[in-house]
């Protein structure tokens, strides 16, 4: 799957996007999990600021 994403991004479609990976803490267990999102470059700071 990763190869497909990289190949798609290299074709020029993804040049205006960034992959944002955030650590999210579970309220039940207290463990952290990671959430990955593809967001436009101009929305990266907004995406990182929200909880």
């Amino acid at each position: 799957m990763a190869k497909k994403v990289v190949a798609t991004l290299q074709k020029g479609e993804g040049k205006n996007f960034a992959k944002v990976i955030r650590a999210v803490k579970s309220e039940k267990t207290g463990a952290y999990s990671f959430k990955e999102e593809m967001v436009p470059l101009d929305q990266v700071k907004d995406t990182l600021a929200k909880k």
Side-chain angles (χ1 to χ4, degrees):
M1 184 168 136
K3 290 181 182 179
K4 183 177 180 181
V5 171
V6 171
T8 302
L9 294 177
Q10 289 179 350
K11 290 181 182 176
E13 297 172 9
K15 290 187 178 185
N16 295 326
F17 287 87
K19 185 175 188 179
V20 176
I21 303 172
R22 295 189 297 144
V24 180
K25 187 173 183 178
S26 172
E27 293 181 14
K28 290 183 179 180
T29 62
Y32 285 92
S33 62
F34 295 96
K35 183 177 178 185
E36 298 181 11
E37 299 178 62
M38 294 295 292
V39 297
L41 287 177
D42 57 344
Q43 295 180 2
V44 171
K45 288 187 179 181
D46 296 335
T47 303
L48 291 173
K50 70 180 179 181
K51 286 196 168 201

